[in-house]
Each structure stands twice: as C-alpha cells, then as structure tokens.
Amino acid sequence: MSEQIFTDADQHDGIAPDMVDQTEAPASVAPEAGAVQPMNMIQALNSALHVKMAEDPNVLSFGEDAGYFGGVFRVTDQLQQKHGLTRSFDTPISECGLVAAAIGMGAYGLRPVVEIQFADYIYPAYDQIVSEAAKMRYRSGGQFTSPIVVRSPYGGGIFGGQTHSQSPEALFTHIAGLKVVIPSNPYDAKGLLTAAIEDDDPVVFFEPKRLYNGPFDGWHQKPVSPWKTQDLAQVPTGKYVEPIGKARVMREGNDVTILCYGTMVWVSLAGAEHAGVDAEVIDLRSLVPLDIETIEASVKKTGRCVIVHEAPKTSGYGGELSALVQERCFYHLEAPVTRVCGWDTPYPHAFEWEYFPGPERVATALKSVMTGGSR
C-alpha cells in the first residue's frame, strides 16, 4: 500500500460550511506577466491544476490513482505532495461514486476536478453527469450549481484497442446544462482547464491522449515532433484563461473550411498540406458552447466545408456541425458538406491506422469538395 502523505496544507483543509465562498467564479484573465516555458500537454494541464489549487482552497482533485501516484498519464503528478491529502486523493474504482461525490461537493461550494482514467470508463458515471450535475442549476431554480470538471483522456492512436480508444463527446453535447471542451495544444489546455475550473456549471473536459507528449499529424510512419518546437507549447507558468466557446483559426485559407478538434486539428493541417489545398483550419476547442459565428464567417468565405473527427460517423458530432453549416450557409455552399470520421465499429486494435482518420483520408475529402463532389 502506498504511503499516505500529509503536508502542512492538510492542517488548513477543514472547511466549515460558513467558510465556503459562494461568490461567482473569478473572471477570465490574460496571462500574468512572468516566465513562459515550453510544456507538453501533460505539463500544461498539471500546471493549471497547481495554479488553481494554490489560488483557491475550494479547488480539489481526485480520481482512480489520481492522488499519490499522480494519474496514469501523470497529469495530477505532485498535487497531493504539494496541496495535501484532503485536496488530492485516490478514490475507489467507481466512476459513478466519484462523480456523485463531486456533485455533492459542488453543491456544498467546493470546486472538484475529477479524473476518469480513460473516457471509455465514463459510462458508469453517465447518469450522475446527465441526470444530476447537468440539471442541478435548473432543478433548484438557481439555488445550487454544480461547479465540477470531469476530465478524461480520450481517442485513439496509441493502440489502446476497443476499451481505451473511444471518443464519446457527442453523448455529452446532446445534454443541456453541460459544457464540452477539447483542447488540441498545451497553451489552450492550460487556459481552458483554468476556465473550466472557474465555471459555475459542469464541464466535461476531454484530453486527446495522442497529443499528450507531442503533436500528432496522423503520419504514423514518421517520428513525432516534440511540443517544444511549437509556438502553442510556449506556456506561461502563471495563471491565464482561454475563454470557453471561442474557436481558434489554426490556418487561414480561402478554398475550403475544415472544422475539427483535438488530435484531428493536426491531422487536418497535414491533410491540407498533402492535398495542396488552401484550406482554413478551425480548431473548435469547445463543442458546447460552439463558436458558430467563426464557423459561419469561414464557410461563407470559402463556400466549402469538411468536418473531421475521430468518433464514429453515425450520430457523431460532425452530424450536428453539418446541419448547422447547411442551415446557416446553404446559399454559399458550392459542394456538399463532407465528413471524415471513424468507422461505425468498435476501435480495432489490429487495424488502428485503417480506423484512424489520417491525412490521406482528409486529403481525399478536400480534393472531392474542390471539384463539387461528395463522398
């Protein structure tokens, strides 16, 4: 059994009911003046947790192996050692139970950040997230909120097979009361996680595990470049907030709009280069709320739209994006909206790269819409 570590911080964690701050979450802020250093996504997320836990005693982090060990991907590394056993701790193997505990803590006034070890294991907690956390503000007439963050690594590209590679984001975008956030780089990862922690409503925060240690453009035969070579890996060590609900234009273009998020941002950039198409690549960053204004402006400019995500095509989030583009931009479209997605099958371990929507498939879709065709 791992040794339990009690720090000086543990002596100050006995928060009585009348000591809990019920005020609104801190306002979004720009980066603090100070040091900037290259970070991978693991380090950026870890930095966000450390900064918020140091700033606000109501913020705590817990999950399966997320305390003493620091999480299976080390995102919660050193939180327990620095902030104490009652602020960062391990839970039983019960996703339903740990999310239920977080909901109660949130109603009490705390701001828990819970880790689901893999997104594939989030389903036992689905009822708690959907029926309790998402409805808390509505059902109480605003008397209670659920300021919790449910963070989890998701997606494939690491040979995790059918039970460690799923992309369940669409299941949560359907639920009123939830926000769904997916960063694609270290800078956004820290800023968006900070914003999620400060939000008074529940946020499901999916982390593309294939991007943890470096951007991955889908060319699995090639070495992965380190994050330190990317501008978006230059991360302030202090606090800053990236607003939830605002997309980032990763590449400007005039011929076709690519809508994507997570790992598929880097795959889309590679696919556009491979196709030789002047594509505008938009990283959605948050699926709910959605920056529809940026999407609409881009599609009206380019007249074409390709949507890329890793989840299966049927009832995936790309279907919602396609409908929105058609509703708002129909008379500007010069070709049908096209989706490049995972296949409608469990993620196959032996055929990882046949399932994974790589740059070749993106390039094929781009060339098709440029000639007015569909796939």
Side-chain angles (χ1 to χ4, degrees):
M1 182 176 179
S2 300
E3 179 185 358
Q4 300 294 300
I5 296 180
F6 291 86
T7 70
D8 291 341
D10 292 316
Q11 301 175 16
H12 307 288
D13 285 333
I15 303 176
D18 60 345
M19 295 170 60
V20 177
D21 184 5
Q22 299 285 357
T23 60
E24 293 295 319
S28 297
V29 297
E32 294 177 352
V36 174
Q37 66 182 48
M39 298 184 190
N40 61 28
M41 283 190 70
I42 294 172
Q43 294 165 330
L45 293 163
N46 180 260
S47 178
L49 290 166
H50 274 295
V51 168
K52 283 304 300 177
M53 291 178 75
E55 177 189 75
D56 185 353
N58 289 332
V59 177
L60 58 159
S61 168
F62 55 92
E64 299 161 13
D65 291 325
Y68 177 82
F69 182 67
V72 66
F73 291 102
R74 316 302 289 167
V75 173
T76 57
D77 188 39
Q78 296 297 307
L79 293 183
Q80 186 177 104
Q81 288 80 349
K82 182 175 181 180
H83 303 285
L85 183 62
T86 58
R87 305 264 319 275
S88 174
F89 52 90
D90 298 308
T91 68
I93 302 175
S94 173
E95 289 78 16
C96 175
L98 68 92
V99 171
I103 294 169
M105 292 175 180
Y108 180 79
L110 301 176
R111 292 185 178 273
V113 183
V114 299
E115 176 177 298
I116 305 295
Q117 205 167 75
F118 288 87
D120 312 63
Y121 305 148
I122 204 169
Y123 305 116
Y126 193 71
D127 182 50
Q128 290 292 334
I129 296 171
V130 169
S131 301
E132 304 299 334
K135 310 294 191 294
M136 183 68 73
R137 182 190 289 272
Y138 180 85
R139 73 190 298 181
S140 69
Q143 296 183 71
F144 294 95
T145 59
S146 190
I148 73 172
V149 180
V150 181
R151 39 168 301 271
S152 184
Y154 91 111
I158 65 165
F159 284 93
Q162 62 181 354
T163 59
H164 295 80
S165 305
Q166 296 178 62
S167 300
E169 63 272 13
L171 298 177
F172 297 95
T173 61
H174 184 68
I175 305 303
L178 294 179
K179 295 179 180 178
V180 181
V181 176
I182 304 178
S184 71
N185 59 78
Y187 186 91
D188 287 348
K190 181 174 179 179
L192 288 169
L193 182 55
T194 302
I197 295 171
E198 294 181 350
D199 201 293
D200 284 335
D201 289 304
V203 180
V204 180
F205 195 94
F206 286 120
E207 301 160 11
K209 68 175 83 73
R210 192 61 180 82
L211 298 183
Y212 271 151
N213 289 298
F216 179 62
D217 62 8
W219 297 113
H220 62 276
Q221 310 94 329
K222 301 178 182 179
V224 177
S225 61
W227 272 117
K228 64 183 179 181
T229 64
Q230 300 288 333
D231 291 340
L232 287 171
Q234 304 304 312
V235 180
T237 56
K239 178 186 174 181
Y240 66 96
V241 174
E242 282 294 295
I244 294 175
K246 182 63 178 174
R248 179 190 291 278
V249 178
M250 293 289 287
R251 180 185 190 274
E252 294 186 355
N254 295 302
D255 291 343
V256 56
T257 298
I258 303 179
L259 305 179
C260 49
Y261 51 89
T263 305
M264 292 299 109
V265 171
W266 302 93
V267 172
S268 297
L269 290 168
E273 180 180 0
H274 185 60
V277 172
D278 186 21
E280 183 151 288
V281 179
I282 297 178
D283 178 359
L284 300 180
R285 301 204 296 179
S286 75
L287 309 188
V288 179
L290 180 68
D291 186 358
I292 189 62
E293 291 80 11
T294 295
I295 294 172
E296 185 176 354
S298 178
V299 175
K300 285 181 176 179
K301 177 180 70 172
T302 65
R304 300 174 178 87
C305 183
V306 172
I307 298 164
V308 187
H309 65 63
E310 194 176 341
K313 183 176 184 178
T314 300
S315 298
Y317 190 64
E320 175 67 15
L321 292 172
S322 180
L324 288 169
V325 169
Q326 187 273 341
E327 290 167 2
R328 291 170 175 262
C329 307
F330 179 78
Y331 292 106
H332 292 80
L333 289 173
E334 299 180 29
V337 178
T338 297
R339 289 175 286 169
V340 181
C341 311
W343 307 115
D344 292 331
T345 178
Y347 216 116
H349 182 273
F351 298 100
E352 178 94 2
W353 304 121
E354 283 73 15
Y355 182 98
F356 193 88
E360 287 278 8
R361 286 173 58 192
V362 173
T364 299
L366 291 172
K367 293 175 182 177
S368 176
V369 298
M370 289 304 298
T371 57
S374 62
R375 298 172 66 251

